[in-house]
């Protein structure tokens, strides 16, 4: 199985400041034939289902604010919130869909400082 | 509008069984793979099981292999998860999730979840 490791486990950021979450996979999730990274990011708030933010590592889902961006390739990925808003308080997960056995990172909790 | 609605959760004793259902609408049921994903405060999001669009293949996390069975009924547009030999550590909110394509897709739609509590 591909192991997904996120860092940090939690972070506190002031409103309007940048938040950066890292995700590392134990093996590449870059499919050579398509040159696509099979990596997604989700936002999860208490009492709600997870919400898709990014797919193919850097494609923003429709309706997701452009302060959210994704980058990286191969085994190392980053989710950036350029200017943290109060409604962004949540746990964020990366997830690989490169293999039939899907795996998530352990989650990163984002709070307001 | 795509909708997924889970049901069947509840309180069950260790060693017991439960069957979850996920009724879907708003898309061609037989054209997409579906998964069950669970969430617990201790473990976060954990992928549980997946079934391909044609039901030809099923996949399970090691933690549930041999105890859980995923299936789908195209005549009812419903996904199922039969859970046997339940353990305390299976306690979680269980979500059904639709994949974006028939093969190797991300989860683009999720249900609201159903709570499973395994306790004596």
């Amino acid at each position: 199985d591909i192991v997904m490791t996120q860092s940090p486990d939690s972070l506190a950021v002031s409103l309007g400041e940048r938040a950066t979450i890292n995700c590392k996979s134990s093996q590449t999730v870059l499919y050579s034939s398509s040159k696509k990274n099979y990596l997604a990011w989700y936002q999860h708030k208490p009492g709600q289902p997870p919400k898709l933010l990014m797919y193919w590592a850097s494609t923003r889902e429709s309706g997701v604010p452009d302060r959210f961006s994704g980058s990286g390739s191969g085994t190392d990925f980053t989710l950036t919130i350029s200017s943290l808003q109060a409604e962004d308080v949540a746990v964020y997960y990366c997830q690989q869909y490169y293999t039939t056995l899907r795996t998530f990172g352990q989650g990163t909790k984002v709070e307001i400082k | 509008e795509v909708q997924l609605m889970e049901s069947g959760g509840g309180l069950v004793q260790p060693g017991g069984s439960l069957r979850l259902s996920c009724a879907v609408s708003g898309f061609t049921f037989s054209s997409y793979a579906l998964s069950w994903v669970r969430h617990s405060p201790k473990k976060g999001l954990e992928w549980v099981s997946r079934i391909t669009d044609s039901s030809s293949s099923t996949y399970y996390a090691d933690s549930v292999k041999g105890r859980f069975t995923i299936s789908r009924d195209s005549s009812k547009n419903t996904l199922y998860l039969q859970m046997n030999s339940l353990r305390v550590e299976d306690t979680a909110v269980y979500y059904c999730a639709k994949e974006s394509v028939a093969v190797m897709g991300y989860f683009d739609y999720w249900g609201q979840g159903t709570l499973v509590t395994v306790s004596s």
Side-chain angles (χ1 to χ4, degrees), chain B residues 18-94:
Chain B
L18 214 53
R19 189 176 84 153
L20 305 183
S21 300
C22 172
V24 313
S25 61
F27 64 95
T28 304
F29 182 76
S30 58
S31 295
Y32 297 90
L34 297 166
S35 281
W36 288 97
V37 177
R38 65 187 181 186
H39 176 266
S40 63
K42 185 175 182 180
K43 295 182 183 179
L45 290 176
E46 180 185 14
W47 172 80
V48 173
S49 182
R50 178 174 181 266
I51 187 166
T52 56
D53 55 332
S54 59
S55 300
S56 59
S57 297
T58 58
Y59 306 92
Y60 300 92
D62 288 343
S63 57
V64 307
K65 195 178 300 181
R67 300 188 298 123
F68 290 11
T69 302
I70 191 171
S71 61
R72 61 194 293 167
D73 185 338
S74 294
S75 68
K76 297 181 179 179
N77 279 11
T78 301
L79 173 72
Y80 301 100
L81 186 67
Q82 178 66 44
M83 304 186 296
N84 298 330
S85 303
L86 281 161
R87 304 168 179 169
V88 171
E89 55 265 34
D90 295 319
T91 295
V93 175
Y94 284 72

Side-chain angles (χ1 to χ4, degrees), chain A residues 1 31 38 40 42 44-45 47-52 54-56 61 93 95 97-106, chain B residues 35 37 39-40 43-47 50 59-62 65 95 99-100 103-113:
Chain A
D1 298 4
Y31 203 55
Y38 285 61
Y42 302 87
H44 195 201
K45 296 181 179 180
Q48 298 182 20
K51 175 186 176 183
L52 175 67
M54 315 288 300
Y55 55 93
W56 304 130
E61 172 70 335
Y93 295 88
Q95 178 243 331
Y97 47 103
Y98 184 86
T99 63
T100 53
L101 304 186
R102 310 300 204 232
T103 46
F104 289 89
Q106 80 276 18
Chain B
S35 281
V37 177
H39 176 266
S40 63
K43 295 182 183 179
L45 290 176
E46 180 185 14
W47 172 80
R50 178 174 181 266
Y59 306 92
Y60 300 92
D62 288 343
K65 195 178 300 181
Y95 299 99
E99 293 195 7
S100 55
V103 181
M104 297 180 77
Y106 46 87
F107 301 128
D108 56 356
Y109 290 93
W110 299 67
Q112 290 297 312

Side-chain angles (χ1 to χ4, degrees), chain A residues 8-106:
Chain A
D9 289 335
S10 65
L11 75 160
V13 176
S14 300
L15 288 172
E17 296 300 306
R18 179 186 299 262
T20 301
I21 301 168
N22 300 302
C23 174
K24 189 175 185 66
S25 58
S26 61
Q27 65 186 73
T28 186
V29 297
L30 174 62
Y31 203 55
S32 55
S33 60
S34 65
K35 294 185 171 49
K36 288 185 175 181
N37 289 282
Y38 285 61
L39 189 284
W41 289 95
Y42 302 87
Q43 177 191 66
H44 195 201
K45 296 181 179 180
Q48 298 182 20
K51 175 186 176 183
L52 175 67
L53 294 177
M54 315 288 300
Y55 55 93
W56 304 130
S58 60
T59 301
R60 198 178 302 111
E61 172 70 335
S62 176
V64 173
D66 60 7
R67 63 180 179 272
F68 290 91
S69 64
S71 63
S73 185
T75 60
D76 292 278
F77 301 91
T78 300
L79 176 71
T80 301
I81 310 172
S82 61
S83 176
L84 191 74
Q85 304 300 304
E87 60 266 32
D88 300 334
V89 169
V91 180
Y92 293 84
Y93 295 88
C94 61
Q95 178 243 331
Q96 65 80 19
Y97 47 103
Y98 184 86
T99 63
T100 53
L101 304 186
R102 310 300 204 232
T103 46
F104 289 89
Q106 80 276 18

